[in-house]
Amino acid sequence: MRLHALASLLGLCSFATASQLRPRDYQSQDYYVLQLDSNIAPSQVALSLGLTHEGQLGELADHHIFSCEKQEDDIVHTALKERRRRKREIGGSDILDNVRLARKQKLKPRMEKRGVLPPPPAGYASPVQRQAPPPEDAAVAKQKEVMKALEISDPIFNEQWHLYNPVQVGHDVNVTDVWMQGITGHNATVAIVDDGLDMYSDDLKDNYFQEGSYDFNDHTEEPKPRLSDDRHGTRCAGEVSAVKNNVCGVGVAWDSKIAGIRILSKLITDADEAIAMNYAYQRNQIYSCSWGPPDDGRSMDAPGILIKRAMLNAVQNGRQGLGSIYVFASGNGAANEDNCNFDGYTNSIYSITVGAIDRKGLHPYYSEHCSAQLVVTYSSGSGDAIHTTDVGTNQCYSGHGGTSAAAPLAAGIFALVLQIRPDLSWRDMQYLVLMTALPIDLDTGEWQTTTIGRKFSHTFGYGKIDTWATIEAAKTFKNVKPQAWYYSPWIHVNQTIPQGDEGLSVSFEVTKQMLQEANLERLEHVTVTMNVEHGRRGDISVDLISPDNLVSHLSVTRRLDNAPEGYVDWTFMSVVHWGEAGIGKWTIVVKDTMVNEFNGTFTDWHLKLWGESIDASKAVQLPLPSDEDDDDHDAIASSTTTIMASTTPVAPAPSKTSILVNPTDHPDRPTKPTAPVEEEETAAPTVEPSPTGSPAAATSSPSTWIPSFVPTFGIGHKARVWILGAVGLILAFCIGLGIYLFMARRKRLRNNPRDEWEFDLLEEDEADGLNGAGKTTRGGKGGKRRAGELYDAFAAGSEDESDGDFDDEGGDEQEKKLYEDDESEGSGSALRSPSHHVIGDLDSDDEDSIVGEKARK
Ligand SMILES: *[C@@H]1O[C@H](CO)[C@@H](O)[C@H](O)[C@H]1NC(C)=O
Ligand SMILES: *[C@@H]1O[C@H](CO)[C@@H](O)[C@H](O)[C@H]1NC(C)=O
Ligand SMILES: *[C@@H]1O[C@H](CO)[C@@H](O)[C@H](O)[C@H]1NC(C)=O
Ligand SMILES: *[C@@H]1O[C@H](CO)[C@@H](O)[C@H](O)[C@H]1NC(C)=O
């Protein structure tokens, strides 16, 4: 396939990566990430800005790292601003006009490992095992048989109840008959993104995969544990890939390769995390991530834009285009009423979110609930934990737990799947997992039967992984067609949320035609990006009710969450609606159940349906997300939208008041001719005609965009010059600087007449001038709104959401507010308390770091 060929071609170019990994010196250096037009030589930009070019940002094409001596200011920001001013006054062209995004890097606080459990809730009686019940004789006999047949002589295999449980029979991952078939992880590679991996452990060294490993904290090839508490990653690794030998136990995929990517032991930047998340992504197949924002029941954090781009890049280009498999631990904050939809990693559509159950098959108090959780598997609780490898030559550990221990176990099982089906895409894997998970605890799990006959619970996702069932299904699994998506327009609500049990409910009707135009056949993920202004975030909850009447609890109340800001462009995700057609009325119910002085307004929301395409040949790749993706709130809902106060959580029930939202049917984008010339050329012919002018036409158009030069080849009637440019890009990367510079010069000449920018610059400067006052509207969203407006002005016709699923800046924005003090006090230099959690707070003025941001060319 064309895409694949190109992806592998790109893979060849990734020789650049190794040289990228220079040590960082955060004490004395500043680092910047710049996204440049593809035809621009980074060395020239470096020259112009007085920076040193450190190399490409990992696997992200056109993104580069630059450094310079540490200084207070964001000198790139200053220079870009100055350039714009001059541009307006004098015109002409300058290499800085080719900077599409700029981010000064700051150290972000450490992610929390998911192995440390918060205290159990008050009154929680730990189900201490008075006396471990005796194993069942028949089960013990079978265990012996298995060990003999497979020649397992690992000393703690008998304790590894998660692999084979002779006490609570049936409460294990059901893997032994899979091993018996010779499926033990051959040829599969899992990377543990964590605090290191003891590659000298006798239980890991034979499976250790050096080429996939790197230490981003100490900048060495070997991700060796160095701190006293650098044990988490090694324990996780043991669960996946501990060798079948005479040391400790075995990994669930004991013949798999295991890599270590060390990021959690020191503070790093978004830039380095982005590189880490794509590290050796042609060879590392699965990335197991048992960490994330704090589980304190008050955080609401999403990864920064560079990390989001890296993750999208991974599913599009990793594993030769099949997509890296990200596995994330759901989080341990359930006792704090935390929920995995408040974490932008676990609620990403690109990650498989894994929660925990204990050895009795019960929900442990810590494992978080959410509509984005796909599946659960075994971990600590009911008096026991996971028994695995520890740091040291011959050290075992019997207390590994939390959702931290569940995610790698799942990752190991997916490695078994990849042994027999290395051709499965990242979405195939999600299908496979949810189609074969086994519902448990049917009485208390609040299970709903979904449209495709699966059962879903916010506590257990689609159930627990049954390895045997998963492998059986994998053998004959038919790959699904490429992804497609439908975006609703922004649906303005602007209504006070009544306090009490009554919710504010708003519906949006999705028609068959909309989905057809979007080339969307059946749903997988559903995301809702929304804005709510509220005096106390923890008081709010949100349900989404689908046309098939299934309910996603997108958000729940959180007693500890006092944040005075509601939701700011936050994206929630649900896997509940998997398999639905999506046609009909989607209803969102926002509630403020606490009757108190804190009240609020539901401002607007934006529904995105993701799924399988109707016509695979028409599918395209999603453009990289940008910071402003969700900023265009000017699109108005279609006339089918009604708002009603509802008393019932379920069912878009009889309305008390029914308000017809102002129907400006055509949420088409502003038509100011502001994009640079070559962008217009690229984008215009690809936008499908929208005969109806329905919201779908506008909102599904991302699927018709050219996200990169790759699909450009398919367009055919595109300006040949452009194709040449794209080819030039590849050559430039692969052959060398000479051609690179040549192309750059050529392209620049071609780009000269860009008068349209004058208009943009003016707009921007006006906004700049307004500054505080320019931070407009929709209360408290400040710079964010401002960026949105600029975005409109800049990206005419282009912006129809070059979007990932993530919330874009909501989290960042909130974090900025939350930790402003923190920031001003010693940014950059090491130890910030890990309890302070800032993600992606790299820049304070988005609008200045974005120059005509758009789908990359
Ligand atoms: C476990 O695997 C066996 C095959 O070994 C299969 O028959 C059984 O249905 C699976 N599931 C459970 C819950 O045991
Ligand atoms: C491993 O992969 C290679 C190449 O994809 C294949 O030829 C080989 O048969 C695989 N080995 C196993 C044990 O699956
Ligand atoms: C929201 O409604 C209020 C009145 O209820 C109105 O004054 C305001 O302009 C509206 N805002 C938007 C963005 O529509
Ligand atoms: C919240 O309540 C106060 C009075 O208690 C009222 O003045 C204010 O307008 C309300 N705000 C919203 C957003 O409804």
Side-chain angles (χ1 to χ4, degrees):
M1 227 193 114
R2 194 171 56 233
L3 286 184
H4 281 203
L6 272 160
S8 1
L9 184 49
L10 282 180
L12 291 180
C13 299
S14 63
F15 64 77
T17 319
S19 65
Q20 257 58 165
L21 297 172
R22 302 201 208 167
R24 312 277 184 231
D25 177 0
Y26 298 119
Q27 299 295 328
S28 64
Q29 297 289 108
D30 278 337
Y31 295 91
Y32 293 87
V33 170
L34 270 58
Q35 180 193 11
L36 309 176
D37 284 335
S38 336
N39 55 310
I40 293 303
S43 57
Q44 294 206 336
V45 175
L47 205 63
S48 169
L49 288 167
L51 304 174
T52 304
H53 180 222
E54 297 272 322
Q56 185 175 306
L57 183 76
E59 302 285 356
L60 270 181
D62 303 336
H63 292 66
H64 296 270
I65 306 186
F66 298 87
S67 64
C68 65
E69 264 177 37
K70 201 169 192 63
Q71 28 201 316
E72 272 298 296
D73 293 345
D74 183 335
I75 59 166
V76 171
H77 173 111
T78 309
L80 290 175
K81 217 157 131 184
E82 175 58 20
R83 165 59 199 152
R84 273 174 235 141
R85 192 159 292 126
R86 289 179 58 83
K87 172 102 187 169
R88 195 182 64 240
E89 286 162 8
I90 302 165
S93 75
D94 186 282
I95 190 153
L96 294 187
D97 298 341
N98 301 84
V99 177
R100 319 219 117 246
L101 170 137
R103 286 289 184 280
K104 184 173 183 177
Q105 296 297 293
K106 282 183 190 166
L107 294 171
K108 54 182 267 188
R110 225 166 280 188
M111 296 279 96
E112 282 190 358
K113 303 172 194 174
R114 300 291 190 221
V116 184
L117 299 183
Y124 173 83
S126 172
V128 179
Q129 284 188 314
R130 272 162 281 159
Q131 187 97 62
E136 291 183 13
D137 291 343
V140 171
K142 180 172 178 208
Q143 187 176 35
K144 288 212 174 92
E145 216 174 275
V146 167
M147 289 177 71
K148 186 157 176 245
L150 295 166
E151 298 174 339
I152 295 175
S153 53
D154 295 64
I156 71 163
F157 180 74
N158 284 318
E159 300 170 23
Q160 293 188 299
W161 58 267
H162 62 283
L163 298 174
Y164 186 84
N165 190 342
V167 180
Q168 292 91 3
V169 175
H171 284 299
D172 56 40
V173 297
N174 201 22
V175 71
T176 51
D177 277 352
V178 171
W179 292 338
M180 294 290 244
Q181 298 170 50
I183 301 170
T184 50
H186 281 291
N187 263 359
T189 307
V190 179
I192 304 290
V193 185
D194 211 286
D195 62 9
L197 184 156
D198 188 352
M199 68 289 300
Y200 296 111
S201 157
D202 283 346
D203 214 10
L204 293 173
K205 64 181 182 196
D206 290 348
N207 284 341
Y208 175 60
F209 183 57
Q210 175 56 55
E211 297 96 290
S213 301
Y214 192 77
D215 183 339
F216 285 87
N217 291 134
D218 287 303
H219 299 282
T220 61
E221 294 291 316
E222 287 190 341
K224 216 157 73 165
R226 291 164 200 273
L227 306 178
S228 58
D229 71 340
D230 281 350
R231 297 172 170 273
H232 187 253
T234 302
R235 292 166 181 168
C236 291
E239 289 182 81
V240 177
S241 196
V243 176
K244 178 165 72 79
N245 55 11
N246 56 357
V247 183
C248 299
V250 296
V252 69
W254 70 63
D255 282 318
S256 62
K257 292 283 170 222
I258 190 86
I261 295 175
R262 186 165 176 257
I263 65 165
L264 298 181
S265 302
K266 282 183 185 169
L267 305 185
I268 63 170
T269 59
D270 273 21
D272 279 349
E273 186 178 319
I275 301 173
M277 295 299 272
N278 284 349
Y279 193 74
Y281 73 170
Q282 301 306 348
R283 285 160 295 173
N284 288 330
Q285 297 173 305
I286 301 171
Y287 293 75
S288 181
C289 305
S290 290
W291 45 266
D295 295 329
D296 53 12
R298 47 173 78 94
S299 301
M300 190 165 188
D301 298 321
I305 186 71
L306 299 175
I307 300 164
K308 287 177 194 168
R309 288 183 173 190
M311 289 178 73
L312 177 61
N313 186 41
V315 299
Q316 292 182 342
N317 300 314
R319 218 161 45 94
Q320 288 77 44
L322 293 168
S324 309
I325 311 280
Y326 288 114
V327 181
F328 268 86
S330 70
N332 298 338
N336 295 327
E337 296 182 343
D338 213 336
N339 175 289
C340 28
N341 239 330
F342 290 82
D343 169 343
Y345 293 92
T346 47
N347 84 4
S348 164
I349 67 173
Y350 307 121
S351 63
I352 296 181
T353 296
V354 180
I357 48 172
D358 69 22
R359 68 173 293 160
K360 289 182 174 169
L362 303 175
H363 172 254
Y365 74 89
Y366 56 81
S367 186
E368 291 180 20
H369 313 247
C370 73
S371 60
Q373 172 170 244
L374 202 64
V375 76
V376 293
T377 192
Y378 290 97
S379 185
S380 58
S382 285
D384 205 347
I386 299 296
H387 300 238
T388 178
T389 313
D390 206 346
V391 172
T393 315
N394 183 354
Q395 295 292 316
C396 318
Y397 186 58
S398 60
H400 191 42
T403 51
S404 263
L409 186 52
I413 293 166
F414 304 156
L416 298 176
V417 171
L418 290 185
Q419 175 185 332
I420 57 163
R421 290 298 304 272
D423 63 310
L424 296 186
S425 73
W426 65 278
R427 283 168 48 247
D428 289 331
M429 187 66 88
Q430 296 197 18
Y431 269 96
L432 185 63
V433 165
L434 74 89
M435 293 307 286
T436 57
L438 202 59
I440 48 169
D441 204 354
L442 287 173
D443 297 334
T444 61
E446 293 178 58
W447 295 88
Q448 302 178 68
T449 300
T450 73
T451 300
I452 49 174
R454 306 299 307 168
K455 286 193 158 49
F456 183 88
S457 149
H458 287 76
T459 312
F460 302 111
Y462 281 91
K464 70 163 180 169
I465 302 176
D466 179 331
T467 312
W468 185 82
T470 307
I471 292 292
E472 284 307 300
K475 289 174 181 170
T476 55
F477 187 88
K478 195 167 166 296
N479 305 63
V480 297
K481 287 179 280 184
Q483 193 186 38
W485 52 87
Y486 164 78
Y487 295 176
S488 82
W490 273 99
I491 300 158
H492 287 277
V493 181
N494 194 26
Q495 298 278 312
T496 302
I497 305 162
Q499 291 199 333
D501 287 335
E502 203 173 285
L504 178 62
S505 125
V506 183
S507 299
F508 178 77
E509 183 94 18
V510 173
T511 65
K512 190 171 181 188
Q513 188 190 12
M514 290 174 188
L515 299 191
Q516 268 172 355
E517 285 171 10
N519 191 26
L520 180 56
E521 182 165 286
R522 55 170 177 167
L523 302 192
E524 294 159 10
H525 312 86
V526 175
T527 59
V528 169
T529 305
M530 63 192 298
N531 288 282
V532 171
E533 286 168 31
H534 201 281
R536 190 176 181 282
R537 189 167 64 196
D539 289 0
I540 324 166
S541 63
V542 181
D543 283 346
L544 178 71
I545 302 150
S546 69
D548 289 356
N549 231 19
L550 287 158
V551 183
S552 289
H553 302 307
L554 296 182
S555 173
V556 295
T557 56
R558 301 197 299 174
R559 67 178 187 281
L560 300 174
D561 185 356
N562 293 316
E565 59 219 343
Y567 307 144
V568 184
D569 277 337
W570 183 260
T571 300
F572 294 108
M573 194 271 270
S574 172
V575 294
V576 177
H577 309 287
W578 207 284
E580 288 189 45
I583 298 161
K585 197 196 296 186
W586 289 85
T587 302
I588 192 163
V589 183
V590 181
K591 286 190 183 181
D592 181 357
T593 33
M594 306 292 164
V595 180
N596 57 19
E597 69 273 32
F598 301 113
N599 56 2
T601 304
F602 179 13
T603 309
D604 55 12
W605 63 299
H606 187 186
L607 175 72
K608 297 182 183 176
L609 308 177
W610 307 84
E612 189 178 13
S613 52
I614 299 167
D615 182 347
S617 70
K618 287 193 187 139
V620 294
Q621 285 196 330
L622 192 69
L624 285 184
S626 72
D627 275 343
E628 315 76 2
D629 287 340
D630 285 315
D631 275 358
D632 185 11
H633 293 240
D634 296 333
I636 306 287
S638 80
S639 54
T640 54
T641 302
T642 54
I643 301 171
M644 56 204 138
S646 99
T647 44
T648 115
V650 185
S655 53
K656 277 190 184 158
T657 53
S658 183
I659 305 156
L660 210 59
V661 167
N662 187 17
T664 49
D665 63 354
H666 203 291
D668 228 326
R669 303 308 174 171
T671 48
K672 290 174 228 161
T674 52
V677 170
E678 79 274 25
E679 294 183 2
E680 297 274 41
E681 280 176 4
T682 313
T686 70
V687 176
E688 280 171 358
S690 54
T692 61
S694 82
T699 56
S700 64
S701 62
S703 64
T704 65
W705 281 29
I706 299 202
S708 71
F709 48 84
V710 174
T712 306
F713 287 93
I715 303 295
H717 55 285
K718 203 57 32 62
R720 267 164 203 80
V721 188
W722 170 244
I723 292 178
L724 264 180
V727 172
L729 167 62
I730 295 167
L731 292 178
F733 268 95
C734 297
I735 296 174
L737 196 61
I739 292 177
Y740 206 120
L741 288 174
F742 172 71
M743 290 302 293
R745 220 171 295 125
R746 249 186 75 187
K747 186 76 184 261
R748 232 177 310 126
L749 286 174
R750 220 165 53 227
N751 288 349
N752 252 344
R754 285 171 69 176
D755 298 332
E756 294 88 345
W757 283 101
E758 292 298 324
F759 181 65
D760 301 345
L761 294 167
L762 206 81
E763 292 264 312
E764 161 143 357
D765 262 52
E766 274 164 9
D768 266 352
L770 289 173
N771 225 336
K775 303 195 167 202
T776 54
T777 72
R778 304 204 316 110
K781 312 232 164 64
K784 184 61 173 159
R785 276 322 103 219
R786 208 170 135 213
E789 286 153 16
L790 287 167
Y791 183 49
D792 290 345
F794 270 122
S798 72
E799 81 295 359
D800 206 336
E801 292 136 34
S802 45
D803 193 0
D805 67 302
F806 294 105
D807 158 75
D808 264 315
E809 285 296 280
D812 298 2
E813 185 82 8
Q814 287 149 14
E815 284 306 327
K816 236 178 278 159
K817 278 181 208 138
L818 279 172
Y819 296 105
E820 250 155 22
D821 297 341
D822 213 336
E823 284 309 305
S824 49
E825 139 218 324
S827 67
S829 66
L831 299 167
R832 224 187 273 150
S833 155
S835 64
H836 284 162
H837 184 72
V838 188
I839 301 185
D841 54 342
L842 306 174
D843 50 280
S844 44
D845 292 286
D846 290 345
E847 78 288 357
D848 278 323
S849 14
I850 303 293
V851 185
E853 173 59 26
K854 137 179 191 74
R856 40 184 196 112
K857 303 169 294 145

